[in-house]
Amino acid sequence: MELSKLKLEKFKHIKVVNFPTDIKIELDSTDNEAEVIIYYIDMIEDVKAFVELSNSSNLPKENRTIMVYKKGRK
């Protein structure tokens, strides 16, 4: 996964959620005070879980929420 396109350099607390073990993410994930949430979507139910997580998180005003899915999926 090419993380440089996401422009995450200014963020220190990134939460990585629901990624399969075969996908390597070169980020240290945090569970508290996340400024960025990167969520892997594998099935439609994951979208609801992502929205619920985003709504329940105490994200700062300057934040990013990113959904990632396998290339070719619709």
Side-chain angles (χ1 to χ4, degrees):
M1 181 173 181
E2 199 170 323
L3 296 173
S4 61
K5 291 182 179 181
L6 299 177
K7 299 181 181 176
L8 300 174
E9 299 82 28
K10 69 179 184 175
F11 300 104
K12 295 180 182 170
H13 304 287
I14 299 171
K15 184 173 191 160
V16 179
V17 184
N18 204 40
F19 274 79
T21 56
D22 61 331
I23 297 178
K24 303 297 180 210
I25 301 293
E26 296 179 13
L27 292 172
D28 293 329
S29 184
T30 185
D31 282 332
N32 54 350
E33 298 183 23
E35 300 168 282
V36 177
I37 298 175
I38 303 175
Y39 202 106
Y40 186 84
I41 304 298
D42 188 42
M43 57 183 107
I44 194 69
E45 292 81 12
D46 293 334
V47 175
K48 181 179 178 183
F50 170 73
V51 171
E52 288 173 357
L53 175 65
S54 297
N55 285 337
S56 67
S57 297
N58 188 18
L59 294 169
K61 187 175 181 178
E62 291 291 321
N63 70 68
R64 300 273 193 283
T65 53
I66 303 165
M67 290 190 295
V68 177
Y69 56 93
K70 187 175 179 180
K71 190 173 183 177
R73 301 254 344 224
K74 296 183 180 191

